[in-house]
Amino acid sequence: MSNVYKHRHILAFMKCAENFADLSHAKRLQVGAVLIRGDQILAQGWNGTLPGEPNCCETPDGSATLPSVRHAEVNCLNKLRHSSETSVGGIMIVTHQPCPRCSEELIQAKVHGVVYRHPYRDQSGIDKLISLGKTIYQIQPDDTIMRHHNTGGLVYYDSETLLF
């Protein structure tokens, strides 16, 4: 059975992810994520350092993200470790397209689909998710929604509901 979400609800969840992104101390790129199932947010995350570490996400010259920075999707999934919820069958709403490493984490977590707004330079993570049957949507700047097609590329999704 498919999970059905209204377009306007997905946009509201994206606004939540964008608000959580604002909590990041990153200077180059602030990323936020929420994991949902049904009409509930199960967990939220943003990119940043481990608890107790300095809140510095970039190299001293600001040209690169430090390797120790945890990505928003991983922080979101890690929050589930402290709850009775599971990521299985959830939908990850994330401000930026998952990188290959985060895509692997989403696969391992058995997330059913991903919605993102901003593209990432490396498509291999999304390609892997699609090849494994995950449903992927991208929210455009005008809030229309495009669905990633399994033959490659984006197709306009003309519906008030999103199916996962």
Side-chain angles (χ1 to χ4, degrees):
M1 178 168 168
S2 294
N3 293 310
V4 179
Y5 292 87
K6 291 183 178 180
H7 182 156
R8 64 190 185 101
H9 293 166
I10 292 295
L11 293 178
F13 286 126
M14 180 57 75
K15 285 180 184 174
C16 290
E18 291 166 344
N19 286 334
F20 283 115
D22 290 340
L23 297 176
S24 172
H25 289 276
K27 306 258 187 286
R28 292 179 64 224
L29 184 65
Q30 295 177 306
V31 180
V34 293
L35 182 67
I36 65 168
R37 188 177 319 105
D39 62 354
Q40 300 214 352
I41 294 176
L42 304 177
Q44 70 286 330
W46 51 92
N47 56 326
T49 57
L50 291 171
E53 289 186 1
N55 285 320
C56 179
C57 297
E58 290 85 12
T59 55
D61 67 358
S63 65
T65 300
L66 294 170
S68 60
V69 170
R70 306 298 286 280
H71 290 197
E73 302 94 322
V74 172
N75 277 333
C76 186
L77 292 171
N78 283 341
K79 292 237 171 75
L80 290 178
R81 291 181 181 181
H82 306 289
S83 81
S84 60
E85 292 291 348
T86 176
S87 58
V88 175
I91 308 299
M92 182 66 73
I93 312 286
V94 62
T95 57
H96 293 72
Q97 178 182 325
C99 70
R101 189 175 72 201
C102 287
S103 294
E104 290 175 359
E105 293 287 337
L106 295 173
I107 291 164
Q108 188 172 11
K110 295 184 169 64
V111 169
H112 193 72
V114 174
V115 178
Y116 69 93
R117 185 179 292 279
H118 304 286
Y120 183 66
R121 65 182 176 270
D122 182 348
Q123 286 289 121
S124 63
I126 285 292
D127 292 343
K128 181 71 170 181
L129 289 165
I130 293 167
S131 74
L132 293 173
K134 306 298 181 188
T135 304
I136 312 295
Y137 293 98
Q138 181 183 8
I139 299 174
Q140 301 299 301
D142 65 357
D143 286 343
T144 59
I145 295 182
M146 305 289 279
R147 183 172 178 171
H148 278 269
H149 198 269
N150 59 4
T151 59
L154 289 165
V155 294
Y156 176 67
Y157 192 74
D158 185 22
S159 178
E160 285 299 311
T161 58
L162 283 70
L163 301 175
F164 288 90

